[in-house]
Amino acid sequence: MAELTIITYLRGEERLTSELVEIGNQLHRLYCGVSMKLYVESKPKIITDAEFPIHIIYASGTKYRKILCTLDTTEDRYLLSLDNDIEANIPALLRLVKRTLDGHYDLGWGRIHSRRVSNFVSSLVEVDKLLSHTVLRPLLWRLHLGVTIPGQCFLLKTDSFKGRLSATDTFLDDLSIGLYAAKHHLRYCYMQEVVAFELPSYSFATLWKQRIRWATGFRQSLSCGTLGKKDRRLLWIHAFFYHLFPIIHVVALAFFAMKIPVAVFGWLCLVALTMARCNPKALAAAFIYPVAFPLFHIGWCFHVFYVGRKK
C-alpha cells in the first residue's frame, strides 16, 4: 500500500501538463510508491520526464464516475485529485498534502483562485472565486453547513470514502463528496493558502454554460434516492447562499437605490473591499460583481426550477 495516488483527467485531445508531472515528481521524492492514474479519452502524448509510474486509463463520462472507479480499485491510503488545467502553487500544495496525511484527515483542500486575465467576464469570475473560497465555503463549513469542496484540487482518504459515496452520477463531484463528508462529520483539513489557480471563463457564453451544467448537477444530486432530510436541507442551504441570496441582494439594492442611493453606494464599496481584501487588483470588478453577476444565478435558478422540472 502506497501513501498516495494522483488522479487527473484529460478531455478530448488534451495533453498532460508538465506542471502536473513536476507535482508528481516532487511527491514521488517525498512519499514512497506515488503513482498517477491518468484518465484519457484519446491516445495521450507519451510522458518521458516522469519519475513515477503513470497508469493510463481510457474512459469517458464524468469526473465523479472516474473518482468512484479509482476508489474501488486502489489500496493506496490517499487520493489527490488534480484538474489538468490548474496552475499550482507547488510549495503550498505540498504543505497541504503533508498536513492532510500527517493529521490523518479524511478530506483536505486549500484555496483556489483564478488566474489574472484582462477580460471583463474573467474579472467577475475572479471575484466570484475570492468570495467562494475565502468567505462562503470556510464560513459554511465552520457552521457545519458546508457541502462543497474545490473540485480542482483536493485529497481524499481512501478508507473514508471507498464504497460509501452515492452511486448517482453527477457533474458536481465536489458537491457529492462534500455532502457525504458533512453528513458523516468527517474530519477535514482546510488550509488558508492558495494551492492552485484555475483558468477562468473568458466569455459570457462559456460562463453561462458552466452555470447550466452546475444546475444540472444540482438536480442530479437532488434526485439521489438515498438522500435523507438532512441531506436535502444541506443542499438547499448551499443553493440559498451560493445562488439565491445574490439575487435577493441585487433586488434589495435596486429597491434601496431609489430611496437611499448614498447608503447603497457605501454598501457596495464595503462589499467590494471585503471581497477584494486578498487581491486589491480585483477591487473594480468586486464593485461591479454584486450587480452584474446575479444574472448567471438567475440562469441557474431558471434551469433548476423550470427547465429541469419540464424534463
Side-chain angles (χ1 to χ4, degrees), residues 96 99-100 105 107-113 129-139 141-142 148-150 187-195 277-278:
L96 172 64
R99 189 178 300 177
T100 304
Y105 289 100
L107 191 59
W109 71 83
R111 292 179 177 178
I112 309 293
H113 284 184
K129 279 284 180 288
L130 287 170
L131 176 62
S132 173
H133 288 260
T134 64
V135 180
L136 275 180
R137 180 175 287 124
L139 176 62
W141 278 93
R142 200 172 294 125
T148 62
I149 60 173
R187 295 177 65 242
Y188 68 90
C189 173
Y190 166 60
M191 198 168 75
Q192 295 183 17
E193 286 189 71
V194 179
V195 297
R277 71 188 188 280
C278 297

Side-chain angles (χ1 to χ4, degrees), residues 179-239:
L179 178 62
Y180 177 82
K183 178 182 177 180
H184 295 278
H185 306 288
L186 299 188
R187 295 177 65 242
Y188 68 90
C189 173
Y190 166 60
M191 198 168 75
Q192 295 183 17
E193 286 189 71
V194 179
V195 297
F197 298 85
E198 71 165 354
L199 194 64
S201 301
Y202 282 92
S203 68
F204 180 95
T206 303
L207 186 57
W208 186 266
K209 289 178 182 177
Q210 181 193 60
R211 302 294 148 154
I212 298 308
R213 189 169 66 251
W214 288 4
T216 302
F218 184 77
R219 287 198 61 81
Q220 288 170 336
S221 297
L222 283 176
S223 69
C224 178
T226 59
L227 284 186
K229 287 184 178 180
K230 181 179 180 180
D231 302 316
R232 293 184 183 277
R233 180 175 66 89
L234 288 172
L235 284 173
W236 283 114
I237 289 172
H238 163 81

Side-chain angles (χ1 to χ4, degrees), residues 256-267:
F256 286 111
M258 296 181 290
K259 298 178 180 295
I260 43 174
V262 176
V264 169
F265 178 80
W267 172 251

Side-chain angles (χ1 to χ4, degrees), residues 71-89:
L71 283 169
D72 287 342
T73 56
T74 189
E75 297 298 327
D76 295 343
R77 188 165 164 245
Y78 278 88
L79 302 181
L80 170 61
S81 177
L82 297 171
D83 283 358
N84 186 55
D85 60 352
I86 62 169
E87 179 183 301
N89 177 356

Side-chain angles (χ1 to χ4, degrees), residues 236 238-249 297 300-301 305:
W236 283 114
H238 163 81
F240 176 79
F241 281 102
Y242 276 85
H243 301 288
L244 299 176
F245 180 77
I247 299 172
I248 296 170
H249 181 247
H297 295 299
W300 183 93
C301 291
F305 294 109

Side-chain angles (χ1 to χ4, degrees), residues 2-303:
E3 282 290 286
L4 188 68
T5 291
I6 303 167
I7 327 170
T8 192
Y9 326 85
L10 304 187
R11 293 174 295 181
E13 300 298 321
E14 283 184 347
R15 294 181 176 183
L16 182 64
T17 63
S18 58
E19 183 159 15
L20 259 65
V21 174
E22 178 58 24
I23 292 170
N25 287 340
Q26 293 204 32
L27 287 170
H28 176 70
R29 295 165 197 155
L30 293 171
Y31 301 100
C32 180
V34 167
S35 64
M36 175 183 284
K37 290 187 182 294
L38 175 62
Y39 284 91
V40 301
E41 297 177 352
S42 61
K43 188 174 181 180
K45 181 183 177 181
I46 297 175
I47 308 300
T48 58
D49 54 351
E51 301 170 8
F52 55 93
I54 298 178
H55 306 288
I56 298 173
I57 303 167
Y58 291 88
S60 56
T62 64
K63 186 168 79 172
Y64 183 66
R65 183 60 57 195
K66 294 164 186 174
I67 291 171
L68 290 180
C69 178
T70 305
L71 283 169
D72 287 342
T73 56
T74 189
E75 297 298 327
D76 295 343
R77 188 165 164 245
Y78 278 88
L79 302 181
L80 170 61
S81 177
L82 297 171
D83 283 358
N84 186 55
D85 60 352
I86 62 169
E87 179 183 301
N89 177 356
I90 296 180
L93 178 58
L94 296 180
R95 286 192 290 273
L96 172 64
V97 172
K98 176 175 172 50
R99 189 178 300 177
T100 304
L101 270 61
D102 289 353
H104 306 284
Y105 289 100
D106 301 298
L107 191 59
W109 71 83
R111 292 179 177 178
I112 309 293
H113 284 184
S114 288
R115 301 184 201 179
R116 291 289 298 170
V117 178
S118 299
N119 173 284
F120 176 69
V121 171
S122 299
S123 297
L124 292 178
V125 173
E126 181 180 14
V127 175
D128 191 56
K129 279 284 180 288
L130 287 170
L131 176 62
S132 173
H133 288 260
T134 64
V135 180
L136 275 180
R137 180 175 287 124
L139 176 62
L140 289 175
W141 278 93
R142 200 172 294 125
L143 295 173
H144 305 289
L145 299 173
V147 292
T148 62
I149 60 173
Q152 303 89 342
C153 172
F154 59 88
L155 286 130
L156 297 178
K157 189 175 185 181
T158 303
D159 287 346
S160 300
F161 291 91
K162 191 171 192 173
R164 302 181 184 186
L165 289 172
S166 169
T168 302
D169 199 8
T170 177
F171 292 124
L172 299 183
D173 49 282
D174 54 345
L175 189 61
S176 288
I177 293 168
L179 178 62
Y180 177 82
K183 178 182 177 180
H184 295 278
H185 306 288
L186 299 188
R187 295 177 65 242
Y188 68 90
C189 173
Y190 166 60
M191 198 168 75
Q192 295 183 17
E193 286 189 71
V194 179
V195 297
F197 298 85
E198 71 165 354
L199 194 64
S201 301
Y202 282 92
S203 68
F204 180 95
T206 303
L207 186 57
W208 186 266
K209 289 178 182 177
Q210 181 193 60
R211 302 294 148 154
I212 298 308
R213 189 169 66 251
W214 288 4
T216 302
F218 184 77
R219 287 198 61 81
Q220 288 170 336
S221 297
L222 283 176
S223 69
C224 178
T226 59
L227 284 186
K229 287 184 178 180
K230 181 179 180 180
D231 302 316
R232 293 184 183 277
R233 180 175 66 89
L234 288 172
L235 284 173
W236 283 114
I237 289 172
H238 163 81
F240 176 79
F241 281 102
Y242 276 85
H243 301 288
L244 299 176
F245 180 77
I247 299 172
I248 296 170
H249 181 247
V250 76
V251 171
L253 287 176
F255 175 78
F256 286 111
M258 296 181 290
K259 298 178 180 295
I260 43 174
V262 176
V264 169
F265 178 80
W267 172 251
L268 286 173
C269 289
L270 178 62
V271 170
L273 287 168
T274 302
M275 289 193 293
R277 71 188 188 280
C278 297
N279 187 357
K281 293 181 180 179
L283 185 59
F287 184 82
I288 300 169
Y289 171 86
V291 177
F293 210 80
L295 175 64
F296 298 101
H297 295 299
I298 291 171
W300 183 93
C301 291
F302 179 75
H303 195 81

